[in-house]
Amino acid sequence: MTRASLDKQPHEVASMFDGVAANYDLTNDVLSLGQARLWRKEVAKAVGARPGQRVLDLAAGTATSSLPFAAAGAYVVPCDFSLGMLREGKKRNPWLPLTAGDATGLPFKDGVFDTVTISFGLRNVQDTDAALRELYRVTKPGGQVVICEFSQPTWAPLRTVYTEYLMRALPPVARAVSSNPDAYVYLAESIREWPDQPALAVLLQKAGWAKVAWRNLSGGIVALHRGTKA
């Protein structure tokens, strides 16, 4: 599976995120109606970071998502392909080891991390299957993957309202609060085309992950997928 249908090459997507880095976290809070913070808390619970563990936080952006893992005592590596995001993150959290990296070719050795996690970034990767295999490669045997991503609401009326919000309400809201509203039009389209919960679970299994399961958040607007490296 690729994101080619959205007509964006990796360098174009990276440039797009560079342009929204400064206000990215604030914009996400506004567009998600405050739900983004709740989702981050659920990811932190699922990861269950502990002192001595190594956590890879892929598509970490400005590293806001990495802070709960660091606070729990884990050694966390925030990794992103957007240099603009990483620069903004380094300004805010200079003590974190922010690292530039492509999800389809990570700059880490095999079996390094206890947990690998990616939130709201997998659908922006050009080759989803390759990214899931890379996450598997850099995870220790017995380690886990935690993926938080937009998905499909399970209740049909909510699904209809959600789709209308994405395609009609989100762009004008983004124009009001974001420095690059076109980026959020792209994001809305990428969410609409993204696989639903069972389809993503199948992709995880194909990549080698075992004990794959998911839990819906906010009625399925977001889904939290998990898997284990046997």
Side-chain angles (χ1 to χ4, degrees), residues 20-229:
V20 299
N23 296 321
Y24 184 71
D25 295 316
L26 173 62
T27 304
N28 282 348
D29 281 340
V30 172
L31 295 178
S32 69
L33 306 179
Q35 292 294 293
R37 297 187 183 194
L38 169 64
W39 299 333
R40 282 197 294 269
K41 288 180 180 179
E42 292 301 321
V43 170
K45 289 179 185 177
V47 169
R50 300 189 302 275
Q53 287 189 329
R54 292 190 174 192
V55 177
L56 172 63
D57 186 15
L58 189 56
T62 60
T64 298
S65 58
S66 304
L67 296 177
F69 313 136
Y75 177 76
V76 57
V77 178
C79 182
D80 203 284
F81 71 155
S82 166
L83 296 181
M85 286 284 191
L86 293 172
R87 291 189 192 100
E88 185 66 28
K90 202 65 177 177
K91 291 178 187 176
R92 302 180 190 182
N93 306 292
W95 50 278
L96 285 174
L98 288 95
T99 303
D102 186 326
T104 61
L106 294 170
F108 308 110
K109 295 181 179 180
D110 296 354
V112 174
F113 296 99
D114 297 283
T115 297
V116 293
T117 182
I118 179 169
S119 295
F120 308 111
L122 188 59
R123 73 184 186 285
N124 297 317
V125 177
Q126 186 75 3
D127 189 334
T128 306
D129 295 323
L132 292 176
R133 289 193 299 269
E134 271 294 272
L135 288 172
Y136 187 87
R137 179 184 67 79
V138 301
T139 303
K140 295 178 181 179
Q144 66 168 343
V145 63
V146 176
I147 297 172
C148 187
E149 189 54 88
F150 289 108
S151 197
Q152 296 295 323
T154 54
W155 188 43
L158 175 59
R159 190 159 55 244
T160 300
V161 171
Y162 175 58
T163 302
E164 289 295 312
Y165 172 73
L166 278 178
M167 302 314 299
R168 296 190 182 186
L170 189 148
V173 172
R175 278 193 288 272
V177 299
S178 172
S179 57
N180 186 0
D182 289 342
Y184 288 90
V185 174
Y186 162 80
L187 292 177
E189 293 172 349
S190 72
I191 292 169
R192 188 173 61 172
E193 291 195 9
W194 184 245
D196 63 10
Q197 294 90 325
L200 181 54
V202 169
L203 294 182
L204 279 159
Q205 291 167 340
K206 284 174 58 180
W209 296 99
K211 299 180 181 178
V212 174
W214 73 84
R215 181 163 62 91
N216 289 320
L217 304 177
S218 302
I221 290 175
V222 164
L224 201 59
H225 281 73
R226 299 176 69 174
T228 302
K229 183 171 181 176

